[in-house]
Amino acid sequence: MKFGLRDKIWITGSTGRLGSTIYRYLDPIDAEIVATDKNEVDITKQKEVATFIERLRPTIIINASGLSKRNECEKNPDQAYLLNAIGARNIAIAGNRFKAKLIQLSTSDVFEGNTLSPYKEIDEALPNTVYGKSKYLGEEFVRNFSNYYFIIRVSRLYSRENAFVESLIDQAKTGKVVIPKDRFSSPTPAFELSKFLIDLMQTNNFGTYHASCNGVCSHREFAQELVDYLKLDAKVIEEVDPNRVDFRPAYRGIDNYFLRITGGYEFLDWKSALHEYIDKEGLNG
């Protein structure tokens, strides 16, 4: 890393999937790192955010806060919009006063999901869930109120904090893994996204990026790859439940189009990333 000696990096949502992982990857020798969660700074309160930023004067802000549980967003839309949209707005406005670079984490759920080809940055966003709508509104606030932003859309981010892979392994040890049918994504471990963000934040290549592991797979293919890699004796079973909001949108695969055409960061393919995650986390013992 080549941060300046005076760089200050503020990470919100520091106990979540991305916040905790990128904190582990950043070297405090290269920059001053301040990691907070809602107990330290409530991003939904504009005055609190403005006061904190004025005191800290961060040069880089990584907004990894948000409400990402889709069913919970549907049940509590006010909370979803507060965290995912208003929180992003508050950070963008306050951070822009001090020309802070803002990394805003977003999602492939901003798309409708009724396709069979990976979404590019140039495709129209048509969210159809509270989660997707609130995250897209957060994107719009960042575009409107920050001059130094990176909006990062990710498809199926996993880490030890959300235990997505770990829960599949636990199921597999019982002899079967039950997963949703006909759901597609570009699954990405938080460590792979963190490496990209550390590289990107040292540039001025502002804009909106799709940033996920290369390739698209169904949940069945992902679970089967995990079972095969760990040599577990388990059957992968698909289920259909059209009433579950977290099954929508069905297609969340994305194409890192802007990175690809500009010769930017090259992500691992989803299989290699899954294998590396399992090895890194010691899940193959």
Side-chain angles (χ1 to χ4, degrees), residues 228-242:
D228 293 344
Y229 186 69
L230 291 174
K231 297 181 172 60
L232 296 173
D233 184 15
K235 184 177 181 180
V236 178
I237 301 171
E238 294 180 301
E239 68 174 8
V240 178
D241 188 347

Side-chain angles (χ1 to χ4, degrees), residues 16-256:
R17 287 173 292 177
L18 176 63
S20 57
T21 302
I22 199 167
Y23 182 78
R24 292 196 291 268
Y25 270 79
L26 285 167
D27 189 338
I29 295 175
D30 293 316
E32 180 181 345
I33 303 165
V34 177
T36 67
D37 218 311
K38 60 182 179 181
N39 293 329
E40 291 85 26
V41 182
D42 185 347
I43 67 168
T44 69
K45 297 179 179 178
Q46 186 176 34
K47 187 174 181 180
E48 193 169 322
V49 172
T51 300
F52 181 81
I53 288 179
E54 186 169 3
R55 290 174 179 171
L56 181 64
R57 302 290 178 95
T59 54
I60 299 170
I61 302 170
I62 303 170
N63 183 24
S65 295
L67 188 63
S68 59
K69 294 180 179 178
R70 292 162 181 82
N71 289 330
E72 193 172 336
C73 286
E74 294 294 326
K75 294 176 183 177
N76 302 287
D78 291 354
Q79 190 67 12
Y81 282 105
L82 267 174
L83 280 169
N84 297 338
I86 301 301
R89 183 203 66 181
N90 293 342
I91 291 171
I93 291 172
N96 203 56
R97 283 188 59 205
F98 302 100
K99 299 182 179 180
K101 296 179 182 179
L102 172 57
I103 294 175
Q104 172 68 22
L105 189 66
S106 192
T107 173
S108 57
D109 287 53
V110 301
F111 296 106
E112 189 174 24
N114 297 328
T115 184
L116 287 177
S117 58
Y119 285 102
K120 299 180 176 68
E121 294 91 335
I122 58 176
D123 291 323
E124 183 181 6
L126 291 169
N128 52 20
T129 63
V130 170
Y131 176 60
K133 291 175 182 177
S134 63
K135 292 298 288 186
Y136 187 66
L137 183 57
E139 287 189 11
E140 290 291 273
F141 281 142
V142 168
R143 291 188 186 96
N144 289 336
F145 297 119
S146 175
N147 295 324
Y148 317 97
Y149 68 82
F150 306 95
I151 292 172
I152 310 297
R153 291 175 180 158
V154 189
S155 173
R156 175 49 74 180
L157 186 67
Y158 61 89
S159 73
R160 68 174 71 157
E161 281 69 32
N162 74 341
F164 174 60
V165 170
E166 288 81 351
S167 66
L168 294 178
I169 293 174
D170 288 342
Q171 285 190 64
K173 288 178 179 178
T174 70
K176 66 178 181 179
V177 181
V178 181
I179 48 86
K181 181 179 175 63
D182 297 330
R183 184 173 165 188
F184 298 83
S185 62
S186 302
T188 305
F191 76 81
E192 182 68 4
L193 179 63
S194 295
K195 289 190 290 185
F196 163 65
L197 294 181
I198 290 170
D199 181 70
L200 183 68
M201 71 176 68
Q202 297 174 75
T203 74
N204 292 324
N205 299 328
F206 303 117
T208 300
Y209 292 90
H210 286 186
S212 286
C213 285
N214 288 322
V216 177
C217 65
S218 67
H219 265 42
R220 189 186 194 290
E221 290 172 312
F222 187 83
Q224 190 64 57
E225 183 64 29
L226 179 149
V227 167
D228 293 344
Y229 186 69
L230 291 174
K231 297 181 172 60
L232 296 173
D233 184 15
K235 184 177 181 180
V236 178
I237 301 171
E238 294 180 301
E239 68 174 8
V240 178
D241 188 347
N243 296 318
R244 284 187 60 175
V245 174
D246 59 335
F247 282 16
R248 306 197 309 266
Y251 192 93
R252 299 174 184 163
I254 59 177
D255 177 4
N256 304 339

